[in-house]
Amino acid sequence: MRYRDALGAYHWASAVGPTKTKATSDLRDKLDTLTGTAQIASVTTVGELCERWLDRALAESSAYWTRSDAAERRGSKPPRPQSMVHSVRAVRNIRARPGGIGDLRLNEATTLALETWLFEQAEESRGRAAEIRIVLRKAFHGAVRLGLLVTDPMAGVDSINRTDPRPIVLKPEELRAIRSILTTSPNMQAAHTTVRNLDALIVILLGTGMRVGEAGALRWSDLDLDGHDPTVTISGTQVELKGKGVLRQDVPKTESSNRTLLLPPSVVDAIEGIRPAWWKPTDWVFPTRNGTPWNTGNAAKVLDRVVELSGGALQKHRVSFHKLRSTAATAIDEEHGQEIAGLVLGHKLTGITRTHYIARAPMAPDVRHTLERLVRSSLGTARVGEQETRKPAKGQHLRAV
């Protein structure tokens, strides 16, 4: 007979007896035992537990953040959809064969077994191990809450000491190499429109410090290019959801990320260069030929191709959209300080006074002069006098998230 346990997993059970009546009676007794907590733990695996937790978490996140009033609602909120990519990756690593721990039964998942496996993962990647630990803690906490386990084996697992790498800031010669190879190399193997859009995207990221997901979610209605002070309003981000593809999430990464930025002249020129003759306010700034939003993950692959064609002049670990954001953040920090940089980048204000008593201005501080000079350096056109006025580095780069 096929039965369903408390986690929704199906299993087979059978019994043998001298008569049909006796066999049926024994099977019922067996099923009563199997559906008890101890037996559920003996037939359910860690991988199944984590998969069911992930399915529920993804459903809750999608349902909440697709509401039009999601950002304004108070109280606890589920993670934003783009944050769930870390959980998806962690569950995939848990269920990996070989090397995963997904086939371990719940009653076999002791604190020692879980901690030993996690620290083996940490030897290869502390970041990956930290992601996995978060998922396991949430999944096992849920199992105890639902009565599937009496104790939580993850409660005693030691934390993973994660050392974040020093933020990387691209040098002017690296920026020039990226844009030069992208726009002039005959071996790019990319359509002209793709090259033009990617070059404009690089300029936008350098000239605003916005996240690549925020840039990918831009519509023409988010831009005001005709006023005396051209601006861009960031009110959403691009996410990729399982089964739904790439779409715009009408709330950015954090509540602090809602902001309006003043655009430097070079950014305005780059945007004007890709604006079609005919467009609607709801059209994407970076569309595909089908009118859907351009997947920034695909754009990143073109950037990887640039590194390959550099002949060693560019290193892969130094070139990414996030590094462009770090470069912009550091340029702002050097001239205006970390607080101004945080406001431009859309970071959360820290401190009780700032958090609870100071209203955040919707318009970010004006750092156009700083970012205009940074963008010009990517083309090698910054004037010597302007370069000399730039403050020296403070010995540390500003981390951008």
Side-chain angles (χ1 to χ4, degrees):
M1 177 180 290
R2 193 166 179 247
Y3 71 96
R4 189 169 185 264
D5 66 23
L7 283 176
Y10 288 94
H11 308 278
W12 287 95
S14 61
V16 178
T19 64
K20 182 178 179 179
T21 301
K22 176 61 174 172
T24 301
S25 177
D26 289 346
L27 179 58
R28 287 174 178 167
D29 292 340
K30 188 173 184 178
L31 287 174
D32 289 340
T33 303
L34 285 172
T35 52
T37 300
Q39 289 300 324
I40 290 173
S42 70
V43 297
T44 302
T45 65
V46 173
E48 290 170 342
L49 176 69
C50 292
E51 282 281 6
R52 282 158 181 76
W53 171 83
L54 179 63
D55 289 343
R56 184 171 62 252
L58 286 171
E60 290 176 355
S61 176
S62 179
Y64 185 92
W65 290 108
T66 51
R67 295 175 59 107
S68 59
D69 62 342
E72 289 75 29
R73 293 174 65 87
R74 296 190 176 275
S76 61
K77 301 175 182 179
R80 284 169 164 80
Q82 73 268 27
S83 301
M84 293 302 298
V85 65
H86 304 290
S87 298
V88 172
R89 184 167 55 212
V91 172
R92 186 166 60 243
N93 287 323
I94 290 170
R95 304 209 72 170
R97 292 181 179 146
I101 202 172
D103 289 335
L104 198 67
R105 307 288 180 180
L106 294 187
N107 62 346
E108 299 169 336
T110 62
T111 298
L112 176 62
L114 293 169
E115 184 172 288
T116 300
W117 180 76
L118 270 175
F119 277 81
E120 288 175 356
Q121 301 301 305
E123 290 179 2
E124 297 182 15
S125 171
R126 288 187 173 273
R128 181 176 65 193
E131 286 182 353
I132 294 172
R133 182 176 179 272
I134 290 172
V135 169
L136 288 173
R137 282 180 62 89
K138 291 180 177 179
F140 275 98
H141 176 77
V144 172
R145 182 176 59 83
L146 295 174
L148 304 178
L149 291 172
V150 178
T151 59
D152 180 2
M154 281 299 299
V157 173
D158 202 3
S159 60
I160 305 293
N161 294 322
R162 180 175 177 177
T163 303
D164 290 328
R166 178 185 174 91
I168 291 176
V169 173
L170 293 168
K171 302 174 183 177
E173 54 267 30
E174 291 175 305
L175 295 173
R176 289 194 290 270
I178 292 170
R179 297 189 64 190
S180 176
I181 294 170
L182 174 64
T183 56
T184 64
S185 174
N187 300 316
M188 271 304 301
Q189 299 177 354
H192 173 71
T193 302
T194 299
V195 169
R196 185 185 63 175
N197 284 350
L198 181 54
D199 189 55
L201 178 61
I202 290 172
V203 172
I204 290 172
L205 298 184
L206 278 177
T208 64
M210 72 172 70
R211 301 175 179 90
V212 67
E214 294 169 342
L218 288 177
R219 304 156 301 187
W220 290 110
S221 59
D222 299 319
L223 293 158
D224 179 6
L225 304 180
D226 301 322
H228 182 266
D229 293 313
T231 61
V232 58
T233 298
I234 297 170
S235 59
T237 190
Q238 185 182 101
V239 296
E240 185 171 7
L241 301 181
K242 184 178 180 181
K244 295 183 179 180
V246 174
L247 50 87
R248 174 188 163 91
Q249 174 183 284
D250 286 328
V251 286
K253 183 177 180 180
T254 66
E255 293 181 14
S256 304
S257 299
N258 286 288
R259 62 202 188 280
T260 298
L261 303 173
L262 292 162
L263 297 176
S266 292
V267 175
V268 176
D269 292 343
I271 296 173
E272 290 283 13
I274 62 172
R275 181 157 64 169
W278 302 98
W279 52 272
K280 295 182 295 185
T282 55
D283 288 346
W284 304 107
V285 173
F286 294 103
T288 65
R289 66 182 64 181
N290 299 321
T292 56
W294 191 25
N295 188 331
T296 55
N298 293 335
K301 294 177 183 177
V302 182
L303 200 59
D304 290 341
R305 177 65 177 164
V306 170
V307 176
E308 293 174 8
L309 295 174
S310 70
L314 299 171
Q315 299 176 15
K316 187 171 183 179
H317 77 279
R318 290 185 57 83
V319 179
S320 69
F321 292 133
H322 192 267
K323 304 300 186 300
L324 296 174
R325 179 168 158 85
S326 293
T327 302
T330 300
I332 300 170
D333 171 52
E334 288 175 356
E335 293 200 14
H336 303 278
Q338 288 192 18
E339 183 170 342
I340 297 297
L343 291 170
V344 174
L345 269 64
H347 289 168
K348 184 178 180 180
L349 292 171
T350 58
I352 294 177
T353 303
R354 280 185 264 184
T355 301
H356 298 286
Y357 296 96
I358 299 177
R360 188 180 185 122
M363 179 73 74
D366 187 356
V367 294
R368 285 177 291 180
H369 184 73
T370 300
L371 295 180
E372 173 67 15
R373 187 163 56 247
L374 176 62
V375 174
R376 283 199 221 165
S377 74
S378 70
L379 290 174
T381 57
R383 290 189 286 272
V384 174
E386 290 180 332
Q387 290 284 4
E388 290 175 348
T389 60
R390 184 169 180 172
K391 295 182 180 179
K394 297 181 179 178
Q396 65 176 14
H397 299 312
L398 187 65
R399 181 172 305 282
V401 296

